[in-house]
Amino acid sequence: MTPTAVPNSTRIRPRGRFAPSPTGPLHFGSLVAAVGSYLSAKAQGGEWLVRMEDLDPPREMKGAADDILRTLEAYGFEWDGAVMYQSQRRDAYEAALDVLHHQGAIYGCSCTRREIADSSVQGIEGPIYPGTCRSGVSPGRSVRALRVRTDGVSCEFQDRIQGAQRSQLDSEIGDFVVKRADGFYAYQLAVVVDDAEQRITEIVRGADLLASTARQIHLQRLLGASTPAYSHLPAVLTAPGIKLSKQTGAAALSRRDPVSELHRALVFLGQQPPVDLASLSLNEFWPESIARWSEASVPRCAGMIATKESPIP
Ligand code: GLU
């Protein structure tokens, strides 16, 4: 019997994504994540999708989603397929919660923020939920949020940039929220459901999300979704430990001179682009940058301060 050749169609084409939250216009920090994810996918002949993470209306800014897309266009990014909007994905999130519920992986929680703060120890991202409602809410109390159990869960993964990672979810994070008390779905749940739905094979994003990855892998396992490859890029900082964000005064990206901002992003990502790359047209800049992309050159640190000219490691 002759061995069956693997048809081309079964070979998985790399697929990356950029998933901005429309809390304000794009800034240099989000540009770095967009550039890193785009170049990684395109350098492998893969696809790149855009997903608008508009699942937290209290934090969103009116018009920001469209503004972000216009800026991406002005910078010459070309995304594959239609933009996915998390605000339209409630049914998928509810279906995932059903799956988790049937496994006994989640439970209702009646605790208020204050009650949790008063009775918990601090983890790496705020208080570790003390497990008060794990075996049911107290009589007379009603369910506010849904949490996923983390007892005994540890998670190891290899980040392509940041190296080997290990996280003990119960002692570092605790049972975390998948549906919030205000009725909105938690980022951790939505990102896992949508990365699975969009068949994302690699996640390239800022290292401020490195600590979220173990939670996401835990949910992927519970939901039977495959785990993509992870590359966490250094986050753009304004001062040691302070991420560039709307809250820390990040300026909106100007659409006037996209190539020089893109060049700056390449410098930040350790690509050592030649100076004359900054004087190319957008049409010339992208193929050149795709051909030159080297993930191995990205600095292996969680964050760097960006100056106008170059980053300070
Ligand atoms: N929406 C998140 C943000 O803007 C990014 C989520 C992700 O890349 O997983 O920070």
Side-chain angles (χ1 to χ4, degrees):
M1 208 163 73
T2 48
T4 330
V6 180
N8 270 340
S9 57
T10 62
R11 244 184 262 141
I12 299 174
R13 194 169 171 208
R15 186 181 268 188
R17 51 55 158 194
F18 176 55
S21 303
T23 52
L26 280 190
H27 53 74
F28 185 67
S30 26
L31 180 68
V32 165
V35 168
S37 58
Y38 189 71
L39 290 179
S40 176
K42 295 291 161 185
Q44 299 170 75
E47 294 173 311
W48 185 76
L49 278 57
V50 172
R51 180 170 71 232
M52 200 51 73
E53 300 211 320
D54 55 348
L55 84 173
D56 192 357
R59 286 185 57 231
E60 281 156 25
M61 182 191 269
K62 202 169 177 299
D66 282 345
D67 185 74
I68 287 171
L69 296 178
R70 296 298 79 78
T71 303
L72 289 174
E73 279 168 358
Y75 276 66
F77 290 97
E78 289 175 1
W79 54 88
D80 293 285
V83 174
M84 176 183 270
Y85 287 84
Q86 289 192 323
S87 54
Q88 295 165 12
R89 303 267 304 144
R90 282 158 184 273
D91 292 352
Y93 306 145
E94 280 303 325
L97 289 176
D98 267 357
V99 171
L100 297 173
H101 176 70
H102 282 112
Q103 293 172 39
I106 53 173
Y107 61 89
C109 172
S110 65
C111 299
T112 61
R113 246 176 227 274
R114 161 115 323 226
E115 287 167 333
I116 297 169
D118 287 349
S119 59
S120 57
V121 291
Q122 286 296 311
I124 58 169
E125 262 182 28
I128 297 183
Y129 182 65
T132 323
C133 298
R134 255 192 206 153
S135 35
V137 300
S138 307
R141 299 286 306 262
S142 49
V143 168
R144 293 163 49 83
L146 297 177
R147 290 183 182 273
V148 63
R149 293 176 197 279
T150 57
D151 16 337
V153 178
S154 65
C155 172
E156 287 176 24
F157 67 98
Q158 188 68 27
D159 188 88
R160 292 195 312 214
I161 295 172
Q162 307 289 339
Q165 307 292 315
R166 181 168 202 288
S167 172
Q168 187 66 37
L169 274 184
D170 46 7
S171 60
E172 292 173 14
I173 298 286
D175 295 354
F176 56 93
V177 169
V178 281
K179 190 171 184 187
R180 300 175 0 187
D182 59 8
F184 295 115
Y185 301 93
Y187 155 70
Q188 307 291 354
L189 176 79
V191 76
V192 167
V193 171
D194 293 341
D195 283 331
E197 169 71 24
Q198 296 189 294
R199 298 197 305 280
I200 300 301
T201 65
E202 60 167 34
I203 294 182
V204 180
R205 61 185 176 190
D208 48 303
L209 291 164
L210 189 57
S212 288
T213 307
R215 273 167 276 179
Q216 294 170 17
I217 293 176
H218 178 45
L219 288 174
Q220 287 157 5
R221 289 176 183 161
L222 291 169
L223 292 169
S226 50
T227 293
Y230 286 98
S231 298
H232 284 88
L233 308 166
V236 180
L237 310 178
T238 54
I242 313 287
K243 190 188 139 193
L244 179 70
S245 67
K246 209 179 79 183
Q247 289 73 26
T248 58
L253 284 177
S254 157
R255 292 182 199 155
R256 242 172 295 131
D257 189 7
V259 175
S260 73
E261 287 295 328
L262 288 165
H263 187 270
R264 219 179 132 220
L266 290 184
V267 172
F268 185 87
L269 289 168
Q271 302 301 297
Q272 303 188 324
V275 179
D276 57 7
L277 211 68
S279 49
L280 297 182
S281 70
L282 266 179
N283 284 343
E284 296 161 328
F285 173 88
W286 280 117
E288 190 63 32
S289 303
I290 291 167
R292 299 175 54 92
W293 173 249
S294 157
E295 192 174 74
S297 305
V298 176
R300 288 160 196 272
C301 61
M304 295 188 303
I305 298 171
T307 62
K308 204 63 202 143
E309 292 74 37
S310 60
I312 307 165

